[in-house]
Amino acid sequence: MSAAGSLLAAVPAAGALLLTVAMRPREVGAVAPLRLAVVRAALLTGVYAVLVVELLGALHALTRPTFAAAWLLFLAAAATAAGLRQRRATRTAPTLTAAPRPVPVGAVVSGGSADPPAAVERGATGPDPTPTRAVRAPSGLFAVALDAWRTAGRGERLLVGAIGGLVLLELLVALLAEPNNFDSQTYHLPKVEHWVAQGDLDFWPTAIHRQVTIPPGAEYLLLHLRLLTGGDNLHNLVQWAAGVLCLLVAARITAQLGGSRRAQLLTAFVVATTPMVVLQATSTQTDLVCAAWVTCAATLVLDGLRRRTGWGTVLGLGAATGLTAVTKTSGLIAVGPLLLLWGLAQLRLALAASTATPGPAATSAASPNPTADGAASPGPTAAGGDRRPRPVGGLARTVGGSVLILLVAAVVVGPFLARVTAEFGHPLGPPRLRESIPMERHDPQSILVNALRIGHTAFDTPLAPLHRAGAEAIIDGAGALGVDPQDRAITFGREIFPEPAWYPDEDRVAFPLTGALVLIGAVVALARPRRIDAEQIGPLRAYAVVVLAAVLLHTSMIKWQPWGNRLILYAVVLGVPLAGLWLDALFRRRRANPGRSGARRSVATLTAVTVLATSALAGVLALSYGFPRRLVGAGSVFTTSDWDTRFLRRPQWADEFRWAATAVRDSGARRIGLVQQNDNWEYPWWLLLRQPDGGSPDLVALQSVLPERPPADPASVDAIVCTGSRPACTKLVPAGWRLEFRGYVGYALPPGR
């Protein structure tokens, strides 16, 4: 990557940081205002990135200069907005007041001084527990962070250190490792290369339908880095950034549900140590990106449970919905119930407001001085006027807000769906896609069997007897219900249940500890919410219902598959705040009532601490020895060459691809035909056959699963490269050509070459 590419790649990050300053809520009482600003900036940046790709793609202008110009424009706009915000904050600074200073938090996870009062700890109903101004300068933020560190207990410091250490090590791996995810070699990264080569988003003939049918939101983000840097060196940073966003937003959700600082740290810790999160944070997969957009939608919905939602937040909900849909449609399984919760809450508030007597001193039932962006207002201005923005009120405005959410989402995902519909006659793609992943049977018995199999894979452990006993019980139970546990209508492809999933592999690693904590937290929030927070009974129950609904809908809509754990990652991250709240309540109750049921509480607390320690160990082991990117051992990012790193999934293919590409390059071939099957690796050809000046090679498919996109004529190419099946390649090689095959890879050249 060139120096110019490095500078250009920094422009989007700089713009997002400036946008965070511009988007920070002005109100003193906003819950976790900096994290809310991060959510707003992330959504706006994501929508901008998607729309730039769609607009420039429609203009056939997917080039480095146009993308550089687009991001420089974005940076200038963000800098202007941040400057205006700082200037306005400076003018209004005399009217702002600081929040009460917090009681020092000396409590630790399993020892230390007593917890501070809940009213001081809580970040959801009380003021921000740190002195807050409209916009803090970097020095002010540093001072607040230093103060928080000084007042934190040992347990909280351990949590912060563990989270920070994992995030930084993941960043190191993401920067050092070459993209080597299996699906990325097949369709994620070839998709990006096709766009670069043709300069637009038009579909192309291909034997790998996922290159054109799977939503491309995450690949849109990769396309920006590809064009700005000229390569894939920074591709892993997209998922790493999404992982960081998941940590921040999950912690904010905990605060919105009444969680203390310790509860927020516990939530972030559980997310950060979940092996699937650790491994995907250094990958070019798409599941963390989807989870990030889903959690952004969740935190905006929670802002609307007790106060009217302003138009800005409505736009944010539309953006989160659209970004989820254009990234991974399965994420809508959670976004749907979230939006339903938001709509019901807004209708309830609208009906309540219609019976109240309006006036300058009118307040929300749950929060004083509600404002349009969902935070408490600082009150009248120095001039005596009420500066509260006009809230979205009334039934008509609630319905209008719902329509606006759908319209914004349609703007984001609509162009892609329009292309798919025009190509296949259906917005969800060809029949093979619509039938391969979604459940084809919805009778209660089939749904139950599917849910049990998904649960078995998600909670898998290295204990072979437990794995075997659980699988046998599910298979026997399925037989008793009259359901074939291997039925293709409820099982993806030709896969066979069960499949071990405990090994730290980014595509299938289980999360038994995180899953158990989420399940316990959800049950407690539903059945005994007072144990968590007596002032948050309604929100806790509502949020737990949404999380459980997402899981139940997922198991009734998505077929079991060996790598299904990553598909449900969005629901896991969404549910972790309930785990953090329950853990914090457990520790708090033990310290508040040491003499009552002391032995039982001590056992429960010791068990929880053991689970957290084991979770930390699982996260560290996943980062150290996880596959296919690891810090130590065979295949370490420190000792493995760039090219070999790309082939850690299939080491034997590394030399075969090079062998075939060298022969084709030496022949002087310009136009090269591709012969491959649906799950073959295409991306290595884009790297090995690149033009001497760095330009994209002229690769054309000799097979096509798109009815309206016929493949190229084999006689029109100068050479053919093949992967997978030699017989399939032989059928397409013109008579008289020389065909060479070595294991998985082959090539064919015409006479004289």
Side-chain angles (χ1 to χ4, degrees), residues 163-493:
I163 296 167
L166 283 171
V167 169
L168 290 177
L169 285 174
E170 288 163 6
L171 175 61
L172 178 64
V173 175
L175 290 172
L176 291 179
E178 304 298 316
N180 61 0
N181 172 262
F182 195 102
D183 284 348
S184 296
Q185 307 283 359
T186 300
Y187 68 96
H188 289 310
L189 300 186
K191 185 185 302 187
V192 174
E193 295 301 324
H194 277 286
W195 293 332
V196 174
Q198 61 192 34
D200 57 39
L201 301 175
D202 291 345
F203 291 162
W204 53 89
T206 179
I208 304 174
H209 76 87
R210 292 176 294 173
Q211 291 183 359
V212 297
T213 57
I214 299 293
E219 290 90 339
Y220 281 173
L221 304 181
L222 294 176
L223 175 62
H224 287 273
L225 291 177
R226 168 66 176 86
L227 286 172
L228 293 176
T229 66
D232 60 12
N233 304 75
L234 302 183
H235 278 10
N236 293 330
L237 294 187
V238 170
Q239 281 258 110
W240 178 84
V244 173
L245 185 58
C246 285
L247 296 179
L248 295 175
V249 182
R252 183 173 191 264
I253 291 172
T254 305
Q256 291 172 288
L257 294 173
S260 66
R261 181 169 67 184
R262 182 177 61 190
Q264 296 171 52
L265 288 174
L266 285 167
T267 295
F269 175 82
V270 174
V271 174
T273 56
T274 300
M276 180 64 77
V277 174
V278 172
L279 293 168
Q280 288 229 4
T282 63
S283 171
T284 47
Q285 263 293 4
T286 62
D287 304 286
L288 270 181
V289 178
C290 174
W293 300 137
V294 170
T295 52
C296 284
T299 195
L300 295 180
V301 165
L302 289 178
D303 276 338
L305 290 189
R306 289 184 168 178
R307 52 178 63 93
R308 312 271 187 85
T309 297
W311 294 117
T313 301
V314 169
L315 293 173
L317 284 170
T321 303
L323 289 170
T324 301
V326 81
T327 300
K328 213 174 189 71
T329 50
S330 57
L332 295 177
I333 295 174
V335 173
L338 284 168
L339 293 181
L340 178 61
L341 174 62
W342 173 85
L344 293 174
Q346 292 298 297
L347 286 175
R348 179 182 63 83
L349 292 171
L351 293 175
S354 66
T355 62
T357 302
T363 60
S364 167
S367 177
N369 301 322
T371 66
D373 65 356
S377 167
T381 63
D386 189 350
R387 295 187 57 191
R388 290 174 297 173
R390 184 179 180 184
V392 178
L395 179 61
R397 281 180 172 257
T398 302
V399 174
S402 302
V403 173
L404 182 58
I405 290 173
L406 297 178
L407 288 176
V408 173
V411 169
V412 177
V413 72
F416 168 70
L417 293 181
R419 289 193 298 273
V420 173
T421 303
E423 190 73 32
F424 301 104
H426 195 287
L428 297 182
R432 65 183 300 177
L433 178 63
R434 302 197 303 271
E435 297 169 1
S436 62
I437 297 177
M439 287 274 285
E440 297 177 79
R441 289 181 57 179
H442 296 91
D443 55 284
Q445 300 93 322
S446 296
I447 292 175
L448 176 59
V449 171
N450 193 56
L452 291 174
R453 294 183 305 166
I454 290 176
H456 181 272
T457 304
F459 286 83
D460 195 21
T461 70
L463 303 176
L466 182 62
H467 168 90
R468 186 166 50 252
E472 290 175 354
I474 292 172
I475 292 173
D476 292 342
L481 293 173
V483 177
D484 180 2
Q486 316 301 346
D487 186 354
R488 297 303 101 189
I490 62 173
T491 305
F492 179 85

Side-chain angles (χ1 to χ4, degrees), residues 5-83:
S6 300
L7 291 175
L8 287 175
V11 172
L17 289 175
L18 289 170
L19 204 57
T20 301
V21 174
M23 291 290 173
R24 188 175 173 88
R26 287 170 288 181
E27 295 74 20
V28 173
V31 178
L34 181 57
R35 278 170 275 172
L36 176 57
V38 170
V39 169
R40 294 172 173 176
L43 290 173
L44 186 54
T45 304
V47 169
Y48 181 81
V50 170
L51 294 183
V52 163
V53 172
E54 292 289 358
L55 177 61
L56 295 180
L59 298 175
H60 304 280
L62 298 181
T63 63
R64 187 180 193 182
T66 58
F67 272 64
W71 281 110
L72 290 173
L73 178 63
F74 178 83
L75 179 63
T80 301

Side-chain angles (χ1 to χ4, degrees), residues 81-108:
L84 292 174
R85 180 61 191 279
Q86 291 280 34
R87 195 175 309 159
R88 186 181 305 147
T90 302
R91 287 201 305 266
T92 60
T95 69
L96 297 174
T97 58
R101 196 172 174 79
V103 175
V105 180
V108 297

